[in-house]
């Protein structure tokens, strides 16, 4: 069955996790996703990967450039448009993933302060009891971060820290990205083949 997701990409280090997740869907998961990229994510893109994009479509083209026949369709949403489809509870989907998720966005969601389309869509996920997966990359954590993660977990969200395991003996950055993207797929009830599952 085709899947529909909302993907938020925010201004946290580890922008490659977001790019790799989009690539993973494009390769293996039939369906469509609405992609929302925050302004700060574009800053991080420039800092971490030396990529400047003029508009969000360019970001998507960058993610998909090596994929000949994507099986997943992507629709870019303006983060300022809090009236777009994902902002409404009547918009049905299979889950929202924010990867990577900044501490600022995590705080906004934990405290119900929805100031852009990413935060509003996440708020709606929680109120509609839809799957919400946040992939923060911050270390160390202060008590406010931890309290915010606790609030989100109690409200039904899932915090999946970008902390890859090493038991699959990663040889490359791609192996580390695969670990986190595989974990996200597992949580979305999609069988993942990105890294070998633990065999006991
Ligand atoms: C190069 C760079 C790296 C950053 N890395 C992180 C990070 O790893 N985690 C984090 O929570 N914020 C990080 N920030 C700060 C966020 O970008 C900032 O809090 C911003 O307001 C987040 O906005 P957004 O959540 O709307 O994207 C970073 C900023 C820059 C410029």
């Amino acid at each position: 069955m085709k899947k529909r997701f909302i993907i938020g990409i925010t201004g946290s280090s580890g922008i490659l996790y977001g790019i790799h997740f989009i690539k993973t869907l494009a390769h293996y998961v039939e369906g469509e996703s609405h992609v929302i990229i925050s302004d700060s994510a574009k800053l991080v893109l420039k800092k971490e990967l030396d990529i400047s994009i003029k508009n969000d479509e360019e970001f998507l083209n960058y993610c998909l450039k090596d994929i000949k026949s994507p099986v997943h369709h992507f629709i870019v949403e303006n983060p300022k448009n809090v009236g777009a489809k994902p902002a409404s509870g009547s918009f049905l989907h299979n889950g929202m993933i924010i990867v990577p998720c900044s501490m600022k966005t995590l705080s906004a969601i934990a405290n119900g302060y929805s100031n852009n389309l990413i935060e509003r869509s996440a708020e709606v996920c929680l109120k509609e009891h839809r799957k919400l997966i946040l992939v923060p990359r911050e270390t160390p954590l202060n008590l406010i971060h931890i309290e915010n993660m606790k609030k989100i977990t109690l409200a039904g969200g899932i915090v999946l820290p970008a902390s890859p395991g090493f038991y699959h003996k990663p040889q490359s950055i791609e192996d580390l990205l695969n670990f986190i993207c595989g974990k996200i797929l597992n949580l979305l009830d999609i069988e993942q083949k990105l890294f070998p599952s633990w065999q006991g």
Side-chain angles (χ1 to χ4, degrees):
M1 210 173 76
K2 289 192 176 174
K3 302 278 186 181
R4 181 195 268 164
F5 302 115
I6 304 170
I7 303 172
I9 299 187
T10 66
S12 159
S13 183
I15 202 87
L16 269 176
Y17 285 113
I19 293 171
H20 198 69
F21 185 62
I22 286 178
K23 286 184 176 177
T24 300
L25 292 180
H27 268 303
Y28 309 111
V29 184
E30 279 188 42
E32 66 169 38
S33 287
H34 291 246
V35 182
I36 319 162
I37 308 152
S38 78
D39 290 342
S40 304
K42 288 163 206 159
L43 257 181
V44 178
L45 193 65
K46 174 84 185 108
K47 272 277 175 212
E48 288 193 336
L49 302 179
D50 289 321
I51 295 164
S52 301
I53 51 163
K54 287 188 212 76
N55 54 53
D56 298 354
E57 297 287 347
E58 243 182 56
F59 173 77
L60 211 53
N61 291 341
Y62 171 77
C63 295
L64 301 177
K65 68 181 163 44
D66 298 324
I67 302 173
K68 284 199 184 78
S69 311
V71 297
H72 204 90
H73 177 61
F74 297 91
I75 301 129
V76 171
E77 301 283 3
N78 179 347
K80 294 186 180 67
N81 184 7
V82 289
K85 280 184 186 171
S88 166
S90 60
F91 180 69
L92 299 182
H93 61 82
N94 302 100
M96 176 170 186
I97 309 97
I98 307 184
V99 53
C101 182
S102 75
M103 289 299 129
K104 175 264 194 182
T105 292
L106 193 135
S107 168
I109 298 165
N111 295 287
Y113 181 76
S114 299
N115 201 30
N116 62 38
L117 183 60
I118 296 177
E119 294 158 4
R120 169 64 186 162
S121 306
E123 175 184 21
V124 170
C125 274
L126 293 180
K127 86 179 174 76
E128 299 292 335
H129 296 258
R130 298 211 177 95
K131 203 163 267 181
L132 175 66
I133 301 169
L134 310 186
V135 184
R137 195 249 44 104
E138 185 59 276
T139 194
L141 298 172
N142 65 34
L143 184 60
I144 296 167
H145 299 146
I146 293 168
E147 291 288 358
N148 284 336
M149 290 182 192
K150 178 182 168 189
K151 279 190 191 179
I152 286 170
T153 305
L154 288 174
I158 299 171
V159 179
L160 189 168
S163 59
F166 286 82
Y167 52 81
H168 65 311
K169 299 191 174 61
Q171 302 295 309
S172 63
I173 289 180
E174 191 175 3
D175 288 344
L176 299 171
L177 299 172
N178 276 336
F179 186 94
I180 295 302
C181 289
K183 287 279 180 188
I184 299 173
L185 291 184
N186 277 345
L187 285 173
L188 294 169
D189 303 318
I190 298 170
E191 194 186 347
Q192 69 84 22
K193 296 191 172 74
L194 297 174
F195 69 90
S197 300
W198 182 248
Q199 297 301 316

